[in-house]
Amino acid sequence: MTLNDIIVAALAQLNRGHDSQTVEIWRDKFTRYANEAVLDLANVLELRRTDTLSVNDGIADISKLPRCCVKVLSMWHGIERVPFITGPSHTHVRPLFGGDELSVVYRYLPRDMASPSDVPELPDYCHGMIVTYVVARERASADPSMQRGADIYLALYAAAKRRLRPSLGEENLYKIENRW
């Protein structure tokens, strides 16, 4: 789903029109809600990514990674794992050996959506949850008669969030191997 699809689906669930003028009226507010949901779901899913990073003078600057790094999980030089320690600041790590370029496996936060054609950097099965969150937040900000409906949507969102698993689809994280 694109950001525009999320906004239209939320407006439909709120029984509001979803013509282009109505979508424009609600775009900023619903975009903020959708980005909040994406960050919340990203923390639950513990999104991981692998990118290459150059090492200068024995220090790797993690702020140069393409996504916002939450935690460095491992560093690799080819197929060899490279141990590392924290560097002189919170945006630097010091690999103990390795080459000029290392592969870095890290937890990241997805980019915020801004354009109507932006797609959340989450798996497709999470996109419906974003719509539920947007509807819940909008109902919670309305008059007291609509706030009662927010509880239902927040409960649906929380239940769906509990079913998410950080290692879903990554066989190497839950595979049991018989070594003997």
Side-chain angles (χ1 to χ4, degrees):
M1 292 179 96
T2 63
L3 177 59
N4 203 50
D5 295 337
I6 292 168
I7 293 170
V8 168
L11 287 170
Q13 287 190 24
L14 290 164
N15 294 327
R16 297 182 183 153
H18 48 274
D19 57 294
S20 60
Q21 184 179 4
T22 307
V23 170
E24 258 329 292
I25 291 170
W26 295 100
R27 179 173 309 285
D28 291 340
K29 188 175 189 182
F30 284 10
T31 300
R32 278 194 318 273
Y33 293 159
N35 284 328
E36 287 176 16
V38 168
L39 286 178
D40 186 37
L41 293 171
N43 283 324
V44 171
L45 289 173
E46 298 178 2
L47 297 175
R48 277 167 249 164
R49 184 179 167 103
T50 304
D51 288 309
T52 58
L53 189 62
S54 61
V55 179
N56 298 323
D57 298 327
I59 296 175
D61 186 1
I62 59 174
S63 66
K64 295 193 179 186
L65 290 168
R67 297 291 186 282
C68 178
C69 178
V70 175
K71 180 180 182 180
V72 175
L73 301 173
S74 62
M75 298 180 101
W76 297 83
H77 184 261
I79 59 169
E80 190 175 343
R81 190 174 183 138
V82 177
F84 62 92
I85 58 174
T86 57
S89 73
H90 68 282
T91 61
H92 295 87
V93 292
R94 186 181 301 270
L96 298 180
F97 63 88
D100 290 339
E101 285 207 356
L102 298 174
S103 294
V104 180
V105 180
Y106 63 102
R107 281 191 46 210
Y108 73 97
L109 295 178
R111 291 183 177 136
D112 282 345
M113 297 179 291
S115 170
S117 61
D118 285 350
V119 177
E121 293 180 345
L122 293 173
D124 290 341
Y125 57 84
C126 293
H127 294 183
M129 296 171 60
I130 298 169
V131 174
T132 304
Y133 183 83
V134 170
V135 172
R137 286 294 308 270
E138 178 55 26
R139 283 186 173 268
S141 69
D143 62 2
S145 64
M146 289 212 28
Q147 287 178 357
R148 286 188 292 265
D151 294 343
I152 296 165
Y153 284 96
L154 285 172
L156 287 170
Y157 176 75
K161 202 165 80 165
R162 278 193 301 273
R163 288 192 301 268
L164 293 177
R165 296 289 175 254
S167 60
L168 186 65
E170 297 181 30
E171 190 175 308
N172 63 338
L173 295 178
Y174 58 85
K175 184 177 178 182
I176 299 173
E177 292 183 14
N178 186 355
R179 297 178 125 180
W180 293 278

Short mmCIF file of all heavy atoms in Angstrom, two decimals, residues 1-3 6 38 110-111 113 118-123 127 130:
data_model
loop_
_atom_site.label_atom_id
_atom_site.label_comp_id
_atom_site.label_asym_id
_atom_site.label_seq_id
_atom_site.Cartn_x
_atom_site.Cartn_y
_atom_site.Cartn_z
N MET A 1 0.83 -1.18 0.00
CA MET A 1 0.00 0.00 0.00
C MET A 1 0.88 1.25 0.00
O MET A 1 1.87 1.30 0.71
CB MET A 1 -0.86 0.06 1.27
CG MET A 1 -1.93 -0.97 1.41
SD MET A 1 -2.83 -0.77 2.97
CE MET A 1 -4.21 0.17 2.43
N THR A 2 0.46 2.22 -0.74
CA THR A 2 1.15 3.50 -0.72
C THR A 2 0.56 4.35 0.41
O THR A 2 -0.48 4.00 0.99
CB THR A 2 0.98 4.24 -2.05
OG1 THR A 2 -0.40 4.52 -2.25
CG2 THR A 2 1.53 3.43 -3.21
N LEU A 3 1.21 5.45 0.70
CA LEU A 3 0.68 6.36 1.71
C LEU A 3 -0.71 6.85 1.33
O LEU A 3 -1.60 6.94 2.17
CB LEU A 3 1.63 7.55 1.90
CG LEU A 3 1.17 8.64 2.86
CD1 LEU A 3 0.96 8.08 4.26
CD2 LEU A 3 2.18 9.77 2.90
N ILE A 6 -3.22 4.20 2.15
CA ILE A 6 -3.45 4.13 3.60
C ILE A 6 -4.42 5.23 4.02
O ILE A 6 -5.36 4.99 4.79
CB ILE A 6 -2.10 4.24 4.36
CG1 ILE A 6 -1.26 2.99 4.12
CG2 ILE A 6 -2.33 4.48 5.84
CD1 ILE A 6 0.17 3.11 4.59
N VAL A 38 4.50 3.14 11.65
CA VAL A 38 5.64 2.48 11.00
C VAL A 38 6.80 2.35 11.99
O VAL A 38 7.43 1.29 12.09
CB VAL A 38 6.06 3.24 9.73
CG1 VAL A 38 7.40 2.75 9.22
CG2 VAL A 38 5.00 3.10 8.65
N PRO A 110 12.95 2.61 9.55
CA PRO A 110 12.63 2.98 8.17
C PRO A 110 12.49 4.48 7.99
O PRO A 110 12.29 5.22 8.96
CB PRO A 110 11.29 2.27 7.90
CG PRO A 110 10.78 1.83 9.20
CD PRO A 110 11.88 1.88 10.20
N ARG A 111 12.58 4.91 6.75
CA ARG A 111 12.41 6.33 6.43
C ARG A 111 10.95 6.73 6.61
O ARG A 111 10.05 5.92 6.41
CB ARG A 111 12.82 6.60 4.99
CG ARG A 111 14.29 6.45 4.76
CD ARG A 111 14.62 6.82 3.33
NE ARG A 111 16.05 6.74 3.12
CZ ARG A 111 16.62 6.20 2.07
NH1 ARG A 111 15.88 5.70 1.11
NH2 ARG A 111 17.93 6.17 1.96
N MET A 113 7.48 8.44 5.60
CA MET A 113 6.75 8.61 4.35
C MET A 113 6.32 10.08 4.24
O MET A 113 5.91 10.68 5.22
CB MET A 113 5.51 7.71 4.33
CG MET A 113 5.83 6.24 4.39
SD MET A 113 4.34 5.23 4.40
CE MET A 113 3.68 5.61 6.02
N ASP A 118 4.81 7.04 -1.60
CA ASP A 118 5.74 6.33 -0.72
C ASP A 118 5.09 5.07 -0.17
O ASP A 118 3.92 5.08 0.22
CB ASP A 118 6.18 7.22 0.44
CG ASP A 118 7.18 8.27 0.02
OD1 ASP A 118 7.69 8.19 -1.12
OD2 ASP A 118 7.45 9.18 0.83
N VAL A 119 5.86 4.01 -0.09
CA VAL A 119 5.40 2.74 0.47
C VAL A 119 6.15 2.52 1.77
O VAL A 119 7.37 2.73 1.83
CB VAL A 119 5.68 1.58 -0.51
CG1 VAL A 119 5.28 0.24 0.08
CG2 VAL A 119 4.95 1.81 -1.83
N PRO A 120 5.47 2.13 2.86
CA PRO A 120 6.18 1.90 4.12
C PRO A 120 7.23 0.80 3.97
O PRO A 120 6.98 -0.19 3.28
CB PRO A 120 5.08 1.46 5.09
CG PRO A 120 3.80 1.63 4.40
CD PRO A 120 4.06 1.86 2.96
N GLU A 121 8.37 0.99 4.59
CA GLU A 121 9.44 0.00 4.51
C GLU A 121 9.22 -1.10 5.54
O GLU A 121 10.06 -1.39 6.39
CB GLU A 121 10.78 0.68 4.74
CG GLU A 121 11.15 1.64 3.64
CD GLU A 121 12.48 2.33 3.89
OE1 GLU A 121 13.00 2.29 5.02
OE2 GLU A 121 13.01 2.91 2.94
N LEU A 122 8.06 -1.70 5.45
CA LEU A 122 7.66 -2.82 6.31
C LEU A 122 7.13 -3.93 5.41
O LEU A 122 6.73 -3.67 4.27
CB LEU A 122 6.55 -2.39 7.27
CG LEU A 122 6.89 -1.37 8.34
CD1 LEU A 122 5.63 -0.95 9.09
CD2 LEU A 122 7.91 -1.92 9.32
N PRO A 123 7.09 -5.16 5.90
CA PRO A 123 6.48 -6.23 5.10
C PRO A 123 5.02 -5.89 4.78
O PRO A 123 4.35 -5.19 5.53
CB PRO A 123 6.58 -7.45 6.01
CG PRO A 123 7.65 -7.14 6.99
CD PRO A 123 7.65 -5.66 7.16
N HIS A 127 0.84 -3.54 6.50
CA HIS A 127 0.24 -2.32 5.97
C HIS A 127 -1.18 -2.11 6.48
O HIS A 127 -1.58 -0.98 6.75
CB HIS A 127 0.27 -2.32 4.45
CG HIS A 127 1.67 -2.25 3.92
ND1 HIS A 127 1.93 -2.19 2.58
CD2 HIS A 127 2.88 -2.24 4.53
CE1 HIS A 127 3.25 -2.14 2.38
NE2 HIS A 127 3.84 -2.17 3.56
N ILE A 130 -1.24 -0.43 9.85
CA ILE A 130 -1.02 1.02 9.81
C ILE A 130 -2.35 1.75 9.67
O ILE A 130 -2.61 2.74 10.35
CB ILE A 130 -0.05 1.40 8.68
CG1 ILE A 130 1.31 0.75 8.89
CG2 ILE A 130 0.09 2.91 8.55
CD1 ILE A 130 2.24 0.85 7.71
#
